[in-house]
Amino acid sequence: VWALVAALRTSSQVQRRERLCLPPSASSSSSSSADKRPLIHLFSIASGHLYERLLRIMMLSAVRATPRYRCKFWLVGNFLSPRFRAQLPRLAHRLGFDYELVWYAWPRWLRPQHEKQRLIWAYKILFLDVLFPSDVERIIFIDSDQVVRGDLGELWELALGSRAVYGFVPFCDDRPEMDAYRFWKRGFW
């Protein structure tokens, strides 16, 4: 699993945050109020119906592989289809996870991007500090096309100190086939 664990801070640039999964008790959790397991925050981005299907599989595998924690998924709503957003409450209830959709408007001061892949990468790399509320101190990024086979609790419990850790496997300099995707090496956005 490619994982990104980051220390996060707040910003006023978050445009909208939605809690769409409300149980009968009107809390922001979709799991039962009797569930006293600690919460683990997971972040992913999916765009297109294929990646939304893969996201469902990833969510199922993460929930099943992490029994000691309650999973809360943070998803960027900008790229999700209306159909997926409509199905998400039922999926969360059936699998027993929590979720929130976060929305972010592209900053006016940053050159607009027209290539969708660059937009998605920007959301998962550049805007981490503004997507989540300040009470989320740590989050694990999992690509939507990954299957979680190990307990994410072990990664969650890893002592990082006060440093943010980033792990981006496909962006390493030793893989020439990834050169075309390293847009940050070509100068200004």
Side-chain angles (χ1 to χ4, degrees):
V1 172
W2 297 348
L4 165 66
V5 182
L8 303 170
R9 67 180 194 276
T10 61
S11 172
S12 61
Q13 292 210 345
V14 173
Q15 297 298 315
R16 176 170 73 167
R17 182 173 290 117
E18 293 184 10
R19 289 185 176 138
L20 298 176
C21 192
L22 299 176
S25 65
S27 77
S28 65
S29 168
S30 67
S31 3
S32 75
S33 58
D35 191 350
K36 300 297 182 198
R37 294 177 297 165
L39 194 62
I40 186 170
H41 297 275
L42 306 169
F43 169 51
S44 193
I45 298 176
S47 69
H49 296 298
L50 172 62
Y51 279 93
E52 288 174 351
R53 279 182 276 181
L54 294 170
L55 178 63
R56 286 185 194 97
I57 294 168
M58 184 276 289
M59 294 168 115
L60 172 64
S61 68
V63 168
R64 286 187 178 169
T66 313
R68 296 178 297 133
Y69 286 88
R70 223 170 12 122
C71 294
K72 180 168 186 173
F73 291 95
W74 295 83
L75 306 171
V76 178
N78 300 46
F79 302 111
L80 296 175
S81 70
R83 179 179 166 199
F84 183 83
R85 288 194 309 264
Q87 294 173 347
L88 198 51
R90 289 189 304 267
L91 182 65
H93 180 71
R94 189 175 48 179
L95 297 180
F97 64 79
D98 303 335
Y99 75 95
E100 284 194 43
L101 299 180
V102 291
W103 305 77
Y104 186 76
W106 191 265
R108 289 187 182 113
W109 53 267
L110 192 57
R111 180 184 290 177
Q113 296 299 304
H114 304 291
E115 188 179 326
K116 191 170 190 176
Q117 192 60 47
R118 289 179 88 172
L119 282 169
I120 292 170
W121 282 340
Y123 277 87
K124 73 180 182 184
I125 298 171
L126 296 179
F127 305 138
L128 286 177
D129 60 340
V130 296
L131 284 176
F132 309 104
S134 61
D135 62 338
V136 177
E137 295 179 9
R138 183 181 275 198
I139 195 158
I140 298 173
F141 175 80
I142 305 173
D143 273 332
S144 59
D145 60 351
Q146 300 297 302
V147 174
V148 177
R149 295 177 183 243
D151 187 352
L152 291 171
E154 294 174 20
L155 181 60
W156 187 257
E157 295 163 357
L158 189 64
L160 298 173
S162 62
R163 302 186 68 205
V165 177
Y166 296 92
F168 296 105
V169 176
F171 298 130
C172 300
D173 285 339
D174 62 343
R175 294 185 59 198
E177 67 271 16
M178 298 306 294
D179 284 345
Y181 299 103
R182 291 190 193 98
F183 51 86
W184 57 88
K185 289 193 169 194
R186 290 190 223 141
F188 183 71
W189 275 55

